[in-house]
Amino acid sequence: MSEVSMKKAVAWTAIAKYTTAVLQIVFAAILSRILTPEQYGIVAVINVFVVFFQLFCDMGFGTAVIQDKGLTEKQINDIFSWTVYLGGVLMILFIGASFPISMVYDDSIYVPLGCILSISLLLNALNMIPNAVMLKEKRFKSIALRTIVSGIIASLITIVLALKGFGVYSLVLQSVFTALIIFIWNELSVRLTFHFKPDFSSIKRIWGYSVYQFLSQLINYFNRNLDSLLIGKYFPKADLGQYNKSYHLMQMPIAYIPGVVGPALHPILSEHQNEPKYIFTAYLRILKILSLIGCFITVWFFYAGEEIVIVMFGDQWHPAVLPFKILALSVWFQLLTNTIAPIYQSIGNTKLMFKSTVYTCILIISFIIAGCMMGSIVKVASCVSVAYFLNFFLTYFIMVKFGFGESFGKFLAIFWHEVIFFVVMMGVTLIPIGIDNMVISLFVKSAIMLSVYVVLLVVTGQHKVILLLIHRGEN
């Protein structure tokens, strides 16, 4: 297979991500006006448990398949076969788990929702290894088309169901239809063979790598979902709906910016797994671009937070405005830290990634618990934002110092332009804009912030850095 450059890989991933992002914004705006915060809160609770079970669908096998260039076709089929069995077991376990979930959260609706979502768990397990094979073979164009098609079809079905009065069921069925469409696409494009009695030696071959990947994902799950679990248990469902909406809105640039780079990093950089200096240098170039983008988005979200929430979702979501603005202050740091996993994977050091994730878990969970004890979603958001700020320094110190043996001080120095940008732009947010119309106010604030940002880029010469980095993205 011909070599696929980082530039092409990122380009195809970007097409998929940004097309999907635009579509999701449109669909979310429609659904948020049909469904209530309480209904979103109910789905937010059950989704936390779905994400937990999904971790066991993969067990880190997907990244291990990408990393290990010596796996034979038979070994890959064996690994795929084990994930099929694993998916069936998890499906049954999740149906059983829906009963205690309904008792803990005192709502019987979680039983039928759990039964429906168990189907998506099975399908996601069936999709794990085919997805990894497509990434391993660098079939980014096919992955991009699959992502767009599955997103459009599933979202349209969801809107129709919501309009027909299916309520929370329309939201959970969306994940089922998405997984089903991806499964059908994979069946037509990735010809894997199911072995009724797969050889366990194939699992043993990759276990040393995949186990730390899995454990890191497992711990990171609690970092990302404990706030929703606790809010869902001790706060009204409407509060969880508001918090969850603000959190996911804040996460959009994190999902769709480093999310464009991340899927391409491991398949491309793993080709240089014995050249850590090469990987570190390439990674710094990527981080510089992400930092320049993240700095702007952070201040823009904070400045125009009210307008963004109301224009996108409607007046019933106004309580989500302040949590969103507070959480937005962590976007810059999360944009950067969300690219760490593929780097650890590329240098083959998932053990160090696991250790780093443990420290991160202790830090973030401590702040989440503290926020929940304070008794409001605004305080939870404040604690979460501070935790992600501190986590930036913790995780990168470990990676830079122990993963690459480089100077942490020199690493931090590459971000000094963005620190100046942040201070200047935050000063601009103090300028009052007294426009009642939310759409016009959003346009004016966005224009002001973008103008200031462009001036800063030109004055400091960072626009040349961006152009140079993009030009050099062919490796």
Side-chain angles (χ1 to χ4, degrees):
M1 181 178 176
S2 61
E3 185 68 21
V4 177
S5 70
M6 176 70 78
K7 193 172 183 179
K8 289 182 180 178
V10 171
W12 278 113
T13 308
I15 290 172
K17 286 283 185 180
Y18 296 141
T19 302
T20 304
V22 172
L23 292 171
Q24 285 190 345
I25 289 172
V26 174
F27 292 138
I30 295 172
L31 286 170
S32 296
R33 287 165 170 79
I34 301 172
L35 304 174
T36 67
E38 288 82 1
Q39 290 172 319
Y40 273 94
I42 290 171
V43 176
V45 169
I46 194 72
N47 277 342
V48 169
F49 293 97
V50 172
V51 172
F52 177 74
F53 274 75
Q54 282 179 344
L55 295 176
F56 293 88
C57 291
D58 179 37
M59 298 286 286
F61 297 156
T63 53
V65 167
I66 296 172
Q67 183 74 7
D68 192 333
K69 308 303 179 185
L71 284 172
T72 65
E73 182 178 343
K74 178 185 181 301
Q75 289 171 325
I76 293 175
N77 286 327
D78 283 335
I79 297 169
F80 166 70
S81 301
W82 281 113
T83 62
V84 173
Y85 284 122
L86 186 60
V89 171
L90 291 172
M91 179 181 183
I92 295 171
L93 289 176
F94 193 73
I95 292 173
S98 64
F99 290 93
I101 291 173
S102 68
M103 289 186 287
V104 171
Y105 290 93
D106 195 26
D107 196 333
S108 61
I109 196 172
Y110 289 114
V111 174
L113 292 181
C115 293
I116 294 171
L117 287 169
S118 68
I119 300 172
S120 70
L121 274 175
L122 174 62
L123 291 171
N124 284 328
L126 298 177
N127 288 330
M128 285 296 178
I129 301 305
N131 290 345
V133 170
M134 293 181 75
L135 284 169
K136 188 184 183 79
E137 296 176 353
K138 304 181 182 68
R139 293 160 64 176
F140 296 103
K141 181 178 179 180
S142 180
I143 294 171
L145 294 174
R146 185 190 66 184
T147 301
I148 294 170
V149 171
S150 62
I152 292 174
I153 295 175
S155 296
L156 288 173
I157 293 173
T158 302
I159 290 175
V160 171
L161 292 175
L163 290 171
K164 294 292 185 179
F166 278 75
V168 294
Y169 293 99
S170 61
L171 290 175
V172 297
L173 284 168
Q174 182 176 19
S175 64
V176 176
F177 286 117
T178 301
L180 177 61
I181 296 166
I182 291 174
F183 171 75
I184 294 172
W185 191 294
N186 287 344
E187 281 294 299
L188 296 174
S189 58
V190 182
R191 300 294 182 179
L192 294 179
T193 302
F194 173 75
H195 295 164
F196 186 74
K197 294 183 178 181
D199 190 343
F200 192 70
S201 64
S202 301
I203 296 293
K204 292 171 64 176
R205 173 188 172 103
I206 62 173
W207 184 249
Y209 178 92
S210 65
V211 64
Y212 289 110
Q213 170 69 23
F214 166 68
L215 291 174
S216 297
Q217 291 175 332
L218 186 63
I219 294 173
N220 193 53
Y221 158 84
F222 291 102
N223 295 341
R224 292 290 181 181
N225 295 283
L226 183 63
D227 47 357
S228 293
L229 282 170
L230 293 178
I231 293 172
K233 174 61 179 174
Y234 298 107
F235 292 70
K237 291 294 188 295
D239 280 2
L240 176 58
Q242 299 286 358
Y243 177 84
N244 202 57
K245 182 66 72 175
S246 65
Y247 187 90
H248 284 291
L249 182 57
M250 174 273 294
Q251 282 281 316
M252 289 193 73
I254 298 167
Y256 293 111
I257 297 177
V260 167
V261 179
L265 281 179
H266 186 205
I268 300 296
L269 292 182
S270 62
E271 300 287 348
H272 304 274
Q273 56 191 271
N274 296 319
E275 305 173 72
K277 291 284 186 182
Y278 175 92
I279 293 176
F280 185 69
T281 301
Y283 185 46
L284 289 184
R285 294 201 299 264
I286 294 167
L287 282 183
K288 185 63 179 180
I289 290 183
L290 292 178
S291 182
L292 287 167
I293 296 172
C295 177
F296 168 76
I297 293 175
T298 292
V299 182
W300 175 52
F301 272 12
F302 180 81
Y303 187 39
E306 180 178 9
E307 289 83 355
I308 292 171
V309 171
I310 301 305
V311 169
M312 285 190 63
F313 305 127
D315 290 333
Q316 67 172 329
W317 295 95
H318 202 278
V321 171
L322 186 54
F324 169 69
K325 294 180 70 172
I326 294 171
L327 288 168
L329 294 174
S330 68
V331 168
W332 182 8
F333 310 105
Q334 291 193 68
L335 273 176
L336 302 178
T337 57
N338 269 35
T339 60
I340 283 180
I343 303 304
Y344 277 124
Q345 294 161 4
S346 297
I347 62 176
N349 201 343
T350 53
K351 185 175 183 179
L352 181 61
M353 178 175 70
F354 167 67
K355 292 179 179 179
S356 175
T357 307
V358 170
Y359 299 135
T360 294
C361 180
I362 295 171
L363 172 68
I364 295 178
I365 286 179
S366 298
F367 275 84
I368 289 173
I369 293 174
C372 289
M373 290 176 65
M374 294 178 188
S376 76
I377 60 172
V378 172
K379 291 174 181 176
V380 174
S382 300
C383 288
V384 169
S385 196
V386 171
Y388 283 129
F389 169 73
L390 296 176
N391 181 57
F392 167 82
F393 294 96
L394 174 63
T395 54
Y396 275 114
F397 176 79
I398 294 172
M399 168 178 276
V400 173
K401 192 71 175 177
F402 301 104
F404 290 101
E406 301 287 345
S407 168
F408 185 59
K410 290 182 179 179
F411 169 80
L412 291 178
I414 71 171
F415 304 115
W416 74 272
H417 283 104
E418 294 86 279
V419 173
I420 295 174
F421 286 15
F422 180 81
V423 172
V424 173
M425 289 189 295
M426 284 300 288
V428 173
T429 65
L430 299 176
I431 301 174
I433 303 294
I435 301 175
D436 293 331
N437 186 289
M438 287 288 116
V439 175
I440 297 176
S441 181
L442 175 59
F443 176 80
V444 171
K445 286 185 176 182
S446 301
I448 291 173
M449 195 53 61
L450 183 60
S451 299
V452 173
Y453 178 68
V454 170
V455 169
L456 288 170
L457 282 176
V458 174
V459 169
T460 60
Q462 292 303 290
H463 69 293
K464 296 179 181 179
V465 175
I466 293 177
L467 293 175
L468 177 62
L469 293 174
I470 294 175
H471 178 70
R472 293 176 63 183
E474 69 276 1
N475 294 318

